[in-house]
Amino acid sequence: TVAGLATAFGSGAATNGLEEIRFADTILVIGSNTSAQHPLAYARITAAKKRGAKLITVDPRRTPVATLSDIHLAIRPGSNLALVNALMHVILFEEKGQDDAFINERTEHFDALRASLEGCTPEWAAPLTGLQPEAIRETARLYAKGPNSIILYCMGVTQQVTGTRTCGALANLVMLCGMIGRPSTGLIPLRGQNNVQGSCDMGALPETLPGYVKADSELGHQRFARLWGPFADEQGKKLTEIMDGMRDGSIRAAYIMGENPMQSDPDAAKVEAGLRNLDFLIVQDIFMTPTARLADVILPAATGLIRRVAVQHGPDGMEAELNAMVDNGCTVLDVIVEHPVYGQLTGQLQISSRYDVEQFLARIRDSDAAPLSMLTGGLHLHTLRCPNEDAYTRACAALKAAGLLLDD
């Protein structure tokens, strides 16, 4: 996505916001099982359908979004690029549906695009894609008609050998029809990992600085040297190159944060061979992933939904946090008790009213339990450390008497 869209638009980000999907006239979804992977986007698609929008889905499978579609192109896997080129051919050579004013004022190298598409007829694409030529023509006409057409795509496009070129071709399709620069048009990549967009925006790429400025460009040095001072501008390694370096020994150590290449990268056997060949591997994650199991050092992490409140020798500072849970409808929390003799014991704490909060606070104050630390947010975890067995017994008895501790 970043490579394809940054070449076309100067940025690898979506051109429009998710909320604009609701008001599109035509929606083209390609390579995305949207209902399962991006439910907020799917909710906006269904809202648009209720308004009368036309929906086109390109996916080998009969997914829920495909079932909802006016046109479902059950494409042969790996042939997205051929389909997009054929759509542009129909719009340009058969329907004359291109936006000439937009092309002349806003684009470059149109003649080269036109020449490259001349032979990409629906009949040429049919045996490659497994689609009927007329279905390709119908899709092209519907998208070009608009007047406001928007494209959504996901990993079904990008995770292929032709992924970068297909992203570029989708950008060309958008520009060919002038479907960009207005509300409810453009191109929205539905990203495959949490905060991948933000990471790319901040320069977590081998060749760019924050804001997609090339590290070795004059602009890059002008913009960042005055903030950072002199910096190295050589291009870093791509993920596949890093894995190759692990196997051939040119990379001897790695620090992997929030990534699970053992499960998400292609050819797991080669990935494992590379990770095992390292002299030293650090993994930082919120789960014990298959990658973490290979690490020499595992570091903990907190998600964006977690906040930490530490309370020493009394829970007075907890009241606001517990009341907030009541307000947010968070009623059942896991409890972990660290006991010096019996080890870790678990139970559940039920917080369903402000009365429960008051009772919980009162009984903990009398229990000699200290300290009490709490994580709140999407995950709720109480850790109760007691100085001795008697304090632990009295703490649990108080919780049980209040009906808050459901089981040991």
mmCIF file of all heavy atoms in Angstrom, residues 7-47:
data_model
loop_
_atom_site.group_PDB
_atom_site.id
_atom_site.type_symbol
_atom_site.label_atom_id
_atom_site.label_comp_id
_atom_site.label_asym_id
_atom_site.label_seq_id
_atom_site.Cartn_x
_atom_site.Cartn_y
_atom_site.Cartn_z
ATOM 1 N N THR A 7 3.687 6.433 -4.430
ATOM 2 C CA THR A 7 4.143 6.755 -5.785
ATOM 3 C C THR A 7 3.087 7.559 -6.533
ATOM 4 O O THR A 7 3.402 8.512 -7.256
ATOM 5 C CB THR A 7 4.461 5.465 -6.560
ATOM 6 O OG1 THR A 7 5.478 4.741 -5.866
ATOM 7 C CG2 THR A 7 4.937 5.783 -7.968
ATOM 8 N N ALA A 8 1.819 7.204 -6.340
ATOM 9 C CA ALA A 8 0.741 7.868 -7.071
ATOM 10 C C ALA A 8 0.324 9.190 -6.437
ATOM 11 O O ALA A 8 0.118 10.192 -7.134
ATOM 12 C CB ALA A 8 -0.472 6.937 -7.151
ATOM 13 N N PHE A 9 0.215 9.214 -5.110
ATOM 14 C CA PHE A 9 -0.375 10.366 -4.427
ATOM 15 C C PHE A 9 0.602 11.123 -3.534
ATOM 16 O O PHE A 9 0.260 12.180 -3.011
ATOM 17 C CB PHE A 9 -1.560 9.911 -3.558
ATOM 18 C CG PHE A 9 -2.644 9.207 -4.319
ATOM 19 C CD1 PHE A 9 -3.247 8.067 -3.799
ATOM 20 C CD2 PHE A 9 -3.082 9.671 -5.552
ATOM 21 C CE1 PHE A 9 -4.254 7.413 -4.482
ATOM 22 C CE2 PHE A 9 -4.083 9.024 -6.245
ATOM 23 C CZ PHE A 9 -4.669 7.887 -5.711
ATOM 24 N N GLY A 10 1.800 10.552 -3.312
ATOM 25 C CA GLY A 10 2.741 11.188 -2.402
ATOM 26 C C GLY A 10 2.529 10.796 -0.954
ATOM 27 O O GLY A 10 3.254 11.229 -0.075
ATOM 28 N N SER A 11 1.543 9.955 -0.681
ATOM 29 C CA SER A 11 1.258 9.492 0.670
ATOM 30 C C SER A 11 0.685 8.092 0.588
ATOM 31 O O SER A 11 -0.065 7.773 -0.338
ATOM 32 C CB SER A 11 0.251 10.425 1.359
ATOM 33 O OG SER A 11 -0.258 9.840 2.540
ATOM 34 N N GLY A 12 1.029 7.266 1.575
ATOM 35 C CA GLY A 12 0.522 5.903 1.604
ATOM 36 C C GLY A 12 -0.742 5.750 2.409
ATOM 37 O O GLY A 12 -1.151 4.626 2.709
ATOM 38 N N ALA A 13 -1.376 6.849 2.776
ATOM 39 C CA ALA A 13 -2.569 6.800 3.618
ATOM 40 C C ALA A 13 -3.830 6.815 2.767
ATOM 41 O O ALA A 13 -3.806 7.102 1.566
ATOM 42 C CB ALA A 13 -2.575 7.985 4.577
ATOM 43 N N ALA A 14 -4.959 6.510 3.412
ATOM 44 C CA ALA A 14 -6.255 6.582 2.740
ATOM 45 C C ALA A 14 -6.527 8.012 2.277
ATOM 46 O O ALA A 14 -6.157 8.980 2.945
ATOM 47 C CB ALA A 14 -7.360 6.113 3.688
ATOM 48 N N THR A 15 -7.188 8.138 1.157
ATOM 49 C CA THR A 15 -7.493 9.473 0.644
ATOM 50 C C THR A 15 -8.736 10.062 1.288
ATOM 51 O O THR A 15 -8.942 11.283 1.250
ATOM 52 C CB THR A 15 -7.707 9.437 -0.877
ATOM 53 O OG1 THR A 15 -8.870 8.627 -1.162
ATOM 54 C CG2 THR A 15 -6.495 8.847 -1.585
ATOM 55 N N ASN A 16 -9.587 9.230 1.856
ATOM 56 C CA ASN A 16 -10.846 9.675 2.440
ATOM 57 C C ASN A 16 -11.102 8.939 3.749
ATOM 58 O O ASN A 16 -10.463 7.917 4.026
ATOM 59 C CB ASN A 16 -12.020 9.432 1.479
ATOM 60 C CG ASN A 16 -11.943 10.283 0.230
ATOM 61 O OD1 ASN A 16 -11.045 10.130 -0.592
ATOM 62 N ND2 ASN A 16 -12.882 11.204 0.084
ATOM 63 N N GLY A 17 -12.041 9.436 4.559
ATOM 64 C CA GLY A 17 -12.339 8.827 5.839
ATOM 65 C C GLY A 17 -13.423 7.766 5.748
ATOM 66 O O GLY A 17 -14.221 7.739 4.803
ATOM 67 N N LEU A 18 -13.470 6.901 6.762
ATOM 68 C CA LEU A 18 -14.445 5.816 6.775
ATOM 69 C C LEU A 18 -15.877 6.330 6.766
ATOM 70 O O LEU A 18 -16.753 5.717 6.156
ATOM 71 C CB LEU A 18 -14.234 4.934 8.009
ATOM 72 C CG LEU A 18 -13.009 4.012 8.039
ATOM 73 C CD1 LEU A 18 -12.984 3.236 9.337
ATOM 74 C CD2 LEU A 18 -13.013 3.063 6.856
ATOM 75 N N GLU A 19 -16.131 7.446 7.432
ATOM 76 C CA GLU A 19 -17.505 7.935 7.535
ATOM 77 C C GLU A 19 -18.080 8.272 6.164
ATOM 78 O O GLU A 19 -19.299 8.223 5.957
ATOM 79 C CB GLU A 19 -17.549 9.160 8.446
ATOM 80 C CG GLU A 19 -18.939 9.589 8.863
ATOM 81 C CD GLU A 19 -19.688 8.507 9.648
ATOM 82 O OE1 GLU A 19 -19.026 7.677 10.311
ATOM 83 O OE2 GLU A 19 -20.932 8.492 9.576
ATOM 84 N N GLU A 20 -17.204 8.596 5.204
ATOM 85 C CA GLU A 20 -17.672 8.974 3.871
ATOM 86 C C GLU A 20 -18.230 7.794 3.083
ATOM 87 O O GLU A 20 -18.911 7.987 2.074
ATOM 88 C CB GLU A 20 -16.535 9.647 3.099
ATOM 89 C CG GLU A 20 -16.044 10.930 3.762
ATOM 90 C CD GLU A 20 -14.868 11.538 3.035
ATOM 91 O OE1 GLU A 20 -14.842 11.485 1.786
ATOM 92 O OE2 GLU A 20 -13.960 12.066 3.698
ATOM 93 N N ILE A 21 -17.930 6.563 3.534
ATOM 94 C CA ILE A 21 -18.465 5.386 2.856
ATOM 95 C C ILE A 21 -19.994 5.427 2.847
ATOM 96 O O ILE A 21 -20.631 5.022 1.868
ATOM 97 C CB ILE A 21 -17.971 4.098 3.541
ATOM 98 C CG1 ILE A 21 -16.440 3.993 3.455
ATOM 99 C CG2 ILE A 21 -18.615 2.864 2.917
ATOM 100 C CD1 ILE A 21 -15.859 2.872 4.308
ATOM 101 N N ARG A 22 -20.583 5.923 3.920
ATOM 102 C CA ARG A 22 -22.041 5.949 4.055
ATOM 103 C C ARG A 22 -22.728 6.664 2.887
ATOM 104 O O ARG A 22 -23.851 6.334 2.518
ATOM 105 C CB ARG A 22 -22.442 6.687 5.332
ATOM 106 C CG ARG A 22 -22.073 6.016 6.626
ATOM 107 C CD ARG A 22 -22.502 6.899 7.784
ATOM 108 N NE ARG A 22 -22.136 6.348 9.077
ATOM 109 C CZ ARG A 22 -22.885 5.535 9.791
ATOM 110 N NH1 ARG A 22 -24.075 5.178 9.331
ATOM 111 N NH2 ARG A 22 -22.481 5.088 10.964
ATOM 112 N N PHE A 23 -22.065 7.668 2.326
ATOM 113 C CA PHE A 23 -22.708 8.548 1.358
ATOM 114 C C PHE A 23 -22.207 8.345 -0.068
ATOM 115 O O PHE A 23 -22.484 9.148 -0.950
ATOM 116 C CB PHE A 23 -22.515 10.007 1.793
ATOM 117 C CG PHE A 23 -22.937 10.243 3.219
ATOM 118 C CD1 PHE A 23 -22.000 10.371 4.228
ATOM 119 C CD2 PHE A 23 -24.285 10.278 3.550
ATOM 120 C CE1 PHE A 23 -22.385 10.563 5.549
ATOM 121 C CE2 PHE A 23 -24.690 10.466 4.863
ATOM 122 C CZ PHE A 23 -23.732 10.618 5.870
ATOM 123 N N ALA A 24 -21.468 7.251 -0.279
ATOM 124 C CA ALA A 24 -21.001 6.931 -1.630
ATOM 125 C C ALA A 24 -22.163 6.401 -2.470
ATOM 126 O O ALA A 24 -23.107 5.799 -1.956
ATOM 127 C CB ALA A 24 -19.874 5.907 -1.574
ATOM 128 N N ASP A 25 -22.078 6.618 -3.778
ATOM 129 C CA ASP A 25 -23.087 6.081 -4.706
ATOM 130 C C ASP A 25 -22.725 4.678 -5.155
ATOM 131 O O ASP A 25 -23.606 3.837 -5.375
ATOM 132 C CB ASP A 25 -23.207 7.005 -5.920
ATOM 133 C CG ASP A 25 -23.621 8.414 -5.524
ATOM 134 O OD1 ASP A 25 -24.710 8.572 -4.952
ATOM 135 O OD2 ASP A 25 -22.844 9.353 -5.772
ATOM 136 N N THR A 26 -21.417 4.422 -5.308
ATOM 137 C CA THR A 26 -20.928 3.095 -5.690
ATOM 138 C C THR A 26 -19.738 2.748 -4.824
ATOM 139 O O THR A 26 -18.835 3.583 -4.624
ATOM 140 C CB THR A 26 -20.524 3.051 -7.164
ATOM 141 O OG1 THR A 26 -21.651 3.396 -7.981
ATOM 142 C CG2 THR A 26 -20.030 1.668 -7.558
ATOM 143 N N ILE A 27 -19.719 1.525 -4.296
ATOM 144 C CA ILE A 27 -18.623 1.061 -3.443
ATOM 145 C C ILE A 27 -18.026 -0.194 -4.073
ATOM 146 O O ILE A 27 -18.733 -1.160 -4.357
ATOM 147 C CB ILE A 27 -19.120 0.738 -2.027
ATOM 148 C CG1 ILE A 27 -19.797 1.967 -1.401
ATOM 149 C CG2 ILE A 27 -17.974 0.258 -1.141
ATOM 150 C CD1 ILE A 27 -20.558 1.648 -0.127
ATOM 151 N N LEU A 28 -16.723 -0.157 -4.319
ATOM 152 C CA LEU A 28 -15.999 -1.308 -4.845
ATOM 153 C C LEU A 28 -15.110 -1.858 -3.729
ATOM 154 O O LEU A 28 -14.199 -1.174 -3.258
ATOM 155 C CB LEU A 28 -15.150 -0.906 -6.052
ATOM 156 C CG LEU A 28 -14.167 -1.949 -6.595
ATOM 157 C CD1 LEU A 28 -14.887 -3.230 -7.016
ATOM 158 C CD2 LEU A 28 -13.365 -1.383 -7.758
ATOM 159 N N VAL A 29 -15.389 -3.091 -3.294
ATOM 160 C CA VAL A 29 -14.618 -3.755 -2.239
ATOM 161 C C VAL A 29 -13.830 -4.883 -2.891
ATOM 162 O O VAL A 29 -14.416 -5.778 -3.498
ATOM 163 C CB VAL A 29 -15.533 -4.310 -1.139
ATOM 164 C CG1 VAL A 29 -14.704 -5.032 -0.077
ATOM 165 C CG2 VAL A 29 -16.350 -3.192 -0.509
ATOM 166 N N ILE A 30 -12.512 -4.848 -2.756
ATOM 167 C CA ILE A 30 -11.677 -5.853 -3.393
ATOM 168 C C ILE A 30 -10.687 -6.418 -2.380
ATOM 169 O O ILE A 30 -10.000 -5.681 -1.679
ATOM 170 C CB ILE A 30 -10.943 -5.272 -4.634
ATOM 171 C CG1 ILE A 30 -9.999 -6.313 -5.254
ATOM 172 C CG2 ILE A 30 -10.215 -3.982 -4.317
ATOM 173 C CD1 ILE A 30 -9.444 -5.898 -6.598
ATOM 174 N N GLY A 31 -10.666 -7.741 -2.264
ATOM 175 C CA GLY A 31 -9.717 -8.415 -1.374
ATOM 176 C C GLY A 31 -9.956 -8.146 0.091
ATOM 177 O O GLY A 31 -9.002 -8.060 0.864
ATOM 178 N N SER A 32 -11.217 -8.041 0.515
ATOM 179 C CA SER A 32 -11.523 -7.737 1.911
ATOM 180 C C SER A 32 -12.750 -8.504 2.373
ATOM 181 O O SER A 32 -13.821 -8.365 1.785
ATOM 182 C CB SER A 32 -11.777 -6.229 2.081
ATOM 183 O OG SER A 32 -12.333 -5.953 3.357
ATOM 184 N N ASN A 33 -12.587 -9.281 3.444
ATOM 185 C CA ASN A 33 -13.717 -9.897 4.125
ATOM 186 C C ASN A 33 -14.156 -8.907 5.202
ATOM 187 O O ASN A 33 -13.931 -9.088 6.397
ATOM 188 C CB ASN A 33 -13.314 -11.235 4.737
ATOM 189 C CG ASN A 33 -14.486 -11.979 5.341
ATOM 190 O OD1 ASN A 33 -15.633 -11.568 5.208
ATOM 191 N ND2 ASN A 33 -14.201 -13.079 6.022
ATOM 192 N N THR A 34 -14.794 -7.834 4.790
ATOM 193 C CA THR A 34 -14.958 -6.641 5.607
ATOM 194 C C THR A 34 -15.745 -6.886 6.877
ATOM 195 O O THR A 34 -15.413 -6.339 7.935
ATOM 196 C CB THR A 34 -15.645 -5.528 4.779
ATOM 197 O OG1 THR A 34 -15.157 -5.569 3.437
ATOM 198 C CG2 THR A 34 -15.352 -4.163 5.369
ATOM 199 N N SER A 35 -16.790 -7.686 6.816
ATOM 200 C CA SER A 35 -17.621 -7.890 7.999
ATOM 201 C C SER A 35 -16.834 -8.547 9.127
ATOM 202 O O SER A 35 -17.054 -8.246 10.303
ATOM 203 C CB SER A 35 -18.841 -8.746 7.654
ATOM 204 O OG SER A 35 -18.439 -10.022 7.203
ATOM 205 N N ALA A 36 -15.898 -9.426 8.797
ATOM 206 C CA ALA A 36 -15.131 -10.139 9.812
ATOM 207 C C ALA A 36 -13.932 -9.342 10.303
ATOM 208 O O ALA A 36 -13.601 -9.374 11.486
ATOM 209 C CB ALA A 36 -14.662 -11.489 9.259
ATOM 210 N N GLN A 37 -13.271 -8.623 9.396
ATOM 211 C CA GLN A 37 -11.994 -7.998 9.739
ATOM 212 C C GLN A 37 -12.086 -6.502 10.015
ATOM 213 O O GLN A 37 -11.250 -5.957 10.734
ATOM 214 C CB GLN A 37 -10.979 -8.257 8.609
ATOM 215 C CG GLN A 37 -10.759 -9.714 8.292
ATOM 216 C CD GLN A 37 -10.274 -10.500 9.495
ATOM 217 O OE1 GLN A 37 -9.601 -9.977 10.359
ATOM 218 N NE2 GLN A 37 -10.645 -11.774 9.565
ATOM 219 N N HIS A 38 -13.060 -5.826 9.439
ATOM 220 C CA HIS A 38 -13.199 -4.378 9.633
ATOM 221 C C HIS A 38 -14.672 -4.039 9.818
ATOM 222 O O HIS A 38 -15.313 -3.445 8.950
ATOM 223 C CB HIS A 38 -12.615 -3.615 8.433
ATOM 224 C CG HIS A 38 -11.143 -3.807 8.267
ATOM 225 N ND1 HIS A 38 -10.612 -4.846 7.527
ATOM 226 C CD2 HIS A 38 -10.086 -3.112 8.749
ATOM 227 C CE1 HIS A 38 -9.288 -4.778 7.566
ATOM 228 N NE2 HIS A 38 -8.946 -3.728 8.307
ATOM 229 N N PRO A 39 -15.237 -4.452 10.965
ATOM 230 C CA PRO A 39 -16.682 -4.298 11.157
ATOM 231 C C PRO A 39 -17.167 -2.851 11.124
ATOM 232 O O PRO A 39 -18.313 -2.600 10.747
ATOM 233 C CB PRO A 39 -16.927 -4.944 12.525
ATOM 234 C CG PRO A 39 -15.588 -4.972 13.193
ATOM 235 C CD PRO A 39 -14.587 -5.122 12.101
ATOM 236 N N LEU A 40 -16.328 -1.889 11.520
ATOM 237 C CA LEU A 40 -16.768 -0.495 11.472
ATOM 238 C C LEU A 40 -16.931 -0.036 10.022
ATOM 239 O O LEU A 40 -17.878 0.697 9.695
ATOM 240 C CB LEU A 40 -15.774 0.405 12.200
ATOM 241 C CG LEU A 40 -15.644 0.155 13.711
ATOM 242 C CD1 LEU A 40 -14.622 1.106 14.321
ATOM 243 C CD2 LEU A 40 -16.992 0.296 14.396
ATOM 244 N N ALA A 41 -16.028 -0.465 9.159
ATOM 245 C CA ALA A 41 -16.181 -0.152 7.737
ATOM 246 C C ALA A 41 -17.407 -0.863 7.170
ATOM 247 O O ALA A 41 -18.164 -0.291 6.373
ATOM 248 C CB ALA A 41 -14.924 -0.559 6.964
ATOM 249 N N TYR A 42 -17.607 -2.117 7.593
ATOM 250 C CA TYR A 42 -18.757 -2.884 7.095
ATOM 251 C C TYR A 42 -20.074 -2.223 7.506
ATOM 252 O O TYR A 42 -21.037 -2.190 6.718
ATOM 253 C CB TYR A 42 -18.692 -4.318 7.623
ATOM 254 C CG TYR A 42 -19.799 -5.206 7.111
ATOM 255 C CD1 TYR A 42 -19.832 -5.601 5.781
ATOM 256 C CD2 TYR A 42 -20.804 -5.653 7.958
ATOM 257 C CE1 TYR A 42 -20.845 -6.421 5.299
ATOM 258 C CE2 TYR A 42 -21.816 -6.474 7.494
ATOM 259 C CZ TYR A 42 -21.833 -6.856 6.165
ATOM 260 O OH TYR A 42 -22.830 -7.669 5.695
ATOM 261 N N ALA A 43 -20.131 -1.693 8.724
ATOM 262 C CA ALA A 43 -21.351 -1.013 9.173
ATOM 263 C C ALA A 43 -21.675 0.174 8.269
ATOM 264 O O ALA A 43 -22.850 0.448 7.975
ATOM 265 C CB ALA A 43 -21.182 -0.544 10.617
ATOM 266 N N ARG A 44 -20.648 0.857 7.802
ATOM 267 C CA ARG A 44 -20.869 1.997 6.907
ATOM 268 C C ARG A 44 -21.267 1.541 5.503
ATOM 269 O O ARG A 44 -22.010 2.224 4.805
ATOM 270 C CB ARG A 44 -19.624 2.870 6.887
ATOM 271 C CG ARG A 44 -19.456 3.642 8.200
ATOM 272 C CD ARG A 44 -18.018 4.099 8.449
ATOM 273 N NE ARG A 44 -17.928 4.938 9.630
ATOM 274 C CZ ARG A 44 -17.883 4.485 10.880
ATOM 275 N NH1 ARG A 44 -17.930 3.179 11.107
ATOM 276 N NH2 ARG A 44 -17.786 5.316 11.898
ATOM 277 N N ILE A 45 -20.766 0.366 5.096
ATOM 278 C CA ILE A 45 -21.192 -0.196 3.816
ATOM 279 C C ILE A 45 -22.685 -0.539 3.856
ATOM 280 O O ILE A 45 -23.439 -0.221 2.929
ATOM 281 C CB ILE A 45 -20.355 -1.449 3.474
ATOM 282 C CG1 ILE A 45 -18.908 -1.059 3.174
ATOM 283 C CG2 ILE A 45 -20.959 -2.193 2.288
ATOM 284 C CD1 ILE A 45 -17.974 -2.248 3.009
ATOM 285 N N THR A 46 -23.112 -1.181 4.931
ATOM 286 C CA THR A 46 -24.531 -1.540 5.033
ATOM 287 C C THR A 46 -25.404 -0.297 5.113
ATOM 288 O O THR A 46 -26.512 -0.275 4.558
ATOM 289 C CB THR A 46 -24.777 -2.435 6.257
ATOM 290 O OG1 THR A 46 -24.328 -1.761 7.445
ATOM 291 C CG2 THR A 46 -24.024 -3.747 6.131
ATOM 292 N N ALA A 47 -24.907 0.746 5.775
ATOM 293 C CA ALA A 47 -25.665 2.002 5.833
ATOM 294 C C ALA A 47 -25.799 2.606 4.439
ATOM 295 O O ALA A 47 -26.861 3.129 4.067
ATOM 296 C CB ALA A 47 -24.988 2.987 6.782
#
